[in-house]
């Protein structure tokens, strides 16, 4: 059975971001998470992470269309 919830450490690994970036996503509400148990124990539901990823794809596609940005100028 697949795990329903991911730790922030799992999220950092999946998205290849730092822990401070993951915390900022949760703090801003961009990535929904719940606090479980003691202070600082946050979990992200798999479906919430997938929704976040899909929203980022949509934002990126819109930015490419509007700005005419090319991939050459990206990291």
């Amino acid at each position: 059975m697949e795990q329903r919830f991911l730790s922030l450490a799992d999220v950092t690994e999946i998205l290849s971001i730092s822990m401070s970036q993951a915390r900022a996503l949760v703090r801003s509400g961009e990535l929904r998470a719940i606090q479980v148990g003691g202070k600082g124990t946050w979990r992200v539901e798999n479906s919430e992470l997938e929704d976040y990823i899909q929203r980022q794809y949509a934002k990126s596609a819109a930015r490419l269309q509007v700005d005419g940005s090319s991939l050459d100028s990206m990291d």
Side-chain angles (χ1 to χ4, degrees):
M1 183 170 135
E2 185 178 340
Q3 280 186 311
R4 181 175 177 180
F5 292 96
L6 302 166
S7 68
L8 287 187
D10 294 331
V11 171
T12 65
E13 188 175 322
I14 291 166
L15 296 178
S16 296
I17 60 174
S18 69
M19 183 60 78
S20 61
Q21 289 172 310
R23 286 186 183 119
L25 288 173
V26 170
R27 200 174 301 118
S28 72
E30 284 187 75
L31 179 59
R32 289 179 39 166
I34 60 171
Q35 192 171 17
V36 180
K39 182 180 177 181
T41 304
W42 289 89
R43 295 291 180 258
V44 176
E45 196 166 3
N46 281 320
S47 61
E48 292 294 338
L49 181 59
E50 288 304 318
D51 289 348
Y52 169 77
I53 291 168
Q54 291 306 313
R55 287 192 306 274
Q56 293 308 110
Y57 273 124
K59 282 182 184 179
S60 296
R63 188 178 317 126
L64 286 171
Q65 287 181 339
V66 171
D67 296 343
S69 301
S70 73
L71 294 177
D72 295 333
S73 65
M74 296 179 183
D75 295 292

